[in-house]
Amino acid sequence: MNLMPMWKGVMDRPEECNRAVLVSVANFDYGVPLGRRPGANCDAKKLHCILTKLGYKVELHMDPSSKEIYKLFSEESRRPVKECFLAVLSSHGEEGCVFGSDGKPVQLSRVFTYFDNECMEKKTKLFLIQACRGGALDDGVEVDSSVSRFPHYFSVPVDTAVMFATAPGYGAFMNFTGSVFLQTFCSLLEEEGHSNLELTRLMTRLSHRVAYTFESKGRKYGGKKEMPCFLTRLTRDVFPFAEMEKDRKAETISATSLVVSQNTRQRIVSLS
């Protein structure tokens, strides 16, 4: 299978710009015992549209193999970037890895290590991981997400942040309209003020929105929740999605003021 970049956003320009690489596996090779992910295409299209509007040069890679994913990020880690490099990996997964279309694991620690180089020094690196990290289901109780549960933590370079769709050991939800995690991320960026937030504050809003406004429904997964998990080695405040003039009013909004308990949404879902 050839790795084909699709839907390039922001025409090629001689000057450096912020870049985003979206890797989405919706279909697996014949014989691979992993189910189709029809909502992945919806996530990819929405992310591409929003990130392009925010000034990112966006490349989308659909259904690459594990070998192609490694090759892609090895090359991307050495390409110039203005201030921020954003990577989105969406597939089936387990703790510490996602799967290529060939069903073989892509170790996240290896991908992170690629970006520990001179080219990416002092640049912000943000990874969004939409994948299960185990088979447990979240009933809305507190889970242990301490650093000891992150075997790949020490492979994350300085000035890098990783946002997982779910906590270690737990599943991540998706339906035909997209994943809870990435669709919520897109919705936040579309809402007035949120794109101007400092990254850690934006990720806090994302965690709160997913945790308190989503609840699955249906006979199999009814009443289950999802809690994103944020890992950061940032050494400074960063505003990767902000416009030139930051909205000071937006920066004063509290996370809890954005959500009320009555707004919990229920969706029929499957595990990502």
Side-chain angles (χ1 to χ4, degrees):
M1 181 184 299
N2 293 324
L3 189 62
M4 298 292 292
M6 301 171 61
W7 306 338
K8 286 191 176 182
V10 182
M11 297 301 291
D12 289 345
R13 298 175 295 192
E15 67 270 19
E16 294 179 358
C17 58
N18 290 337
R19 295 190 293 107
V21 173
L22 315 181
V23 172
S24 180
V25 182
N27 303 289
F28 294 85
D29 296 348
Y30 179 79
V32 174
L34 294 170
R36 292 182 63 252
R37 304 174 64 247
N41 291 329
C42 294
D43 285 345
K45 291 177 182 178
K46 192 165 185 178
L47 281 164
H48 186 279
C49 178
I50 292 172
L51 292 172
T52 299
K53 289 180 180 178
L54 291 171
Y56 278 74
K57 180 179 179 181
V58 184
E59 289 189 5
L60 171 61
H61 299 263
M62 295 297 298
D63 302 336
S65 68
S66 56
K67 183 177 180 180
E68 289 168 336
I69 293 173
Y70 282 133
K71 182 176 185 292
L72 170 66
F73 283 111
S74 178
E75 294 173 349
E76 290 293 334
S77 68
R78 290 169 174 78
R79 293 179 57 194
V81 62
K82 184 178 181 181
E83 295 176 347
C84 180
F85 174 82
L86 168 63
V88 179
L89 290 92
S90 175
S91 183
H92 287 301
E94 294 178 353
E95 177 56 28
C97 74
V98 298
F99 294 106
S101 60
D102 55 357
K104 295 181 180 179
V106 175
Q107 299 298 329
L108 295 175
S109 58
R110 179 175 168 183
V111 173
F112 299 152
T113 302
Y114 290 150
F115 291 83
D116 189 9
N117 62 50
E118 186 176 349
C119 183
M120 285 289 170
E121 187 177 2
K122 297 182 180 179
K123 306 295 185 181
T124 300
K125 285 82 66 179
L126 173 61
F127 292 84
L128 303 180
I129 312 297
Q130 168 56 43
C132 291
R133 304 177 70 187
L137 298 176
D138 190 344
D139 292 311
V141 299
E142 184 176 348
V143 298
D144 177 14
S145 58
S146 62
V147 170
S148 63
R149 297 290 302 277
F150 293 108
H152 41 265
Y153 174 79
F154 297 105
S155 65
V156 176
V158 173
D159 293 320
T160 300
V162 184
M163 188 64 156
F164 296 91
T166 189
Y170 285 80
F173 289 106
M174 170 180 283
N175 65 15
F176 66 93
T177 63
S179 64
V180 177
F181 173 62
L182 292 178
Q183 290 292 321
T184 303
F185 173 72
C186 290
S187 296
L188 282 175
L189 290 181
E190 287 180 313
E191 293 176 10
E192 183 177 358
H194 284 96
S195 63
N196 292 322
L197 289 174
E198 196 277 327
L199 180 59
T200 55
R201 299 188 68 189
L202 178 63
M203 295 297 100
T204 301
R205 305 281 172 87
L206 175 57
S207 293
H208 191 277
R209 181 76 62 91
V210 172
Y212 286 95
T213 70
F214 166 75
E215 182 177 296
S216 63
K217 64 179 181 178
R219 182 175 300 177
K220 188 174 182 180
Y221 298 117
K224 303 302 181 181
K225 306 285 286 183
E226 182 171 318
M227 180 66 200
C229 196
F230 188 47
L231 187 161
T232 176
R233 294 197 69 198
L234 296 175
T235 60
R236 62 189 185 279
D237 290 344
V238 294
F239 299 81
F241 307 108
E243 299 173 1
M244 294 302 294
E245 296 296 328
K246 296 181 177 64
D247 189 338
R248 298 300 177 186
K249 180 178 179 181
E251 294 183 10
T252 65
I253 303 174
S254 68
T256 53
S257 69
L258 300 174
V259 179
V260 292
S261 59
Q262 293 92 325
N263 288 339
T264 299
R265 296 167 295 168
Q266 292 189 325
R267 305 181 192 175
I268 297 176
V269 294
S270 62
L271 289 178
S272 177

